[in-house]
Amino acid sequence: MTPKENLAKFEYTLPNISTPGGSYVSVNIRENIAYIAIQFPILNAEYLYQGRLGDSLNTEDGYKAMELCALNVLAQINKKVGFEKVIGVNHIDAYFQSGENWDDSPKVVNGASDLFVKILEDKGKHSVSTPPSSSC
């Protein structure tokens, strides 16, 4: 199935793309590689999931936040590259803030990973790095 068919099948809607908050571009294409700038859990200009995992947010909230970040990545790809040009997702860096005694980062990052595989199928398989306690 195509990414657009998979979005419909799993009842996802791509959000409006956000614009960068600084002096950078949201998508930078070099030859046949597209680099996507960090995408936050923003849904159509509204910031969601604000807080620290393990404190004001639970692991399920984190999963949903990462899923929303991934939807924003897909929205950027769809608008600026085109799904038909995607040969695969290579790697993602996942950032978030957490409390001192929270350590479910693999479960949270799966929010993005699971979405990429659902929508892009084999092209969505990727490697991941997660710096300790940052911000998505």
Side-chain angles (χ1 to χ4, degrees), residues 3 18 29 37 42 46 53-54 59-61 70-72 74 76 79 81-82 84 106 113 119 121 129-130 133-134:
S18 59
I29 300 171
I42 300 171
E46 181 182 356
L53 292 161
T59 299
E60 185 177 330
D61 293 330
L71 273 174
N72 281 310
L74 292 176
Q76 294 283 353
K79 177 94 174 176
V81 177
E84 70 282 355
S113 296
I119 304 307
E121 300 173 340
S129 63
T130 307
S133 190
S134 299

Side-chain angles (χ1 to χ4, degrees), residues 43-75:
L43 181 60
N44 303 327
E46 181 182 356
Y47 282 81
L48 304 177
Y49 305 104
Q50 300 297 295
R52 290 184 178 272
L53 292 161
D55 290 343
S56 57
L57 298 172
N58 63 33
T59 299
E60 185 177 330
D61 293 330
Y63 183 97
K64 291 177 185 177
M66 283 290 178
E67 184 178 66
L68 180 53
C69 292
L71 273 174
N72 281 310
V73 167
L74 292 176

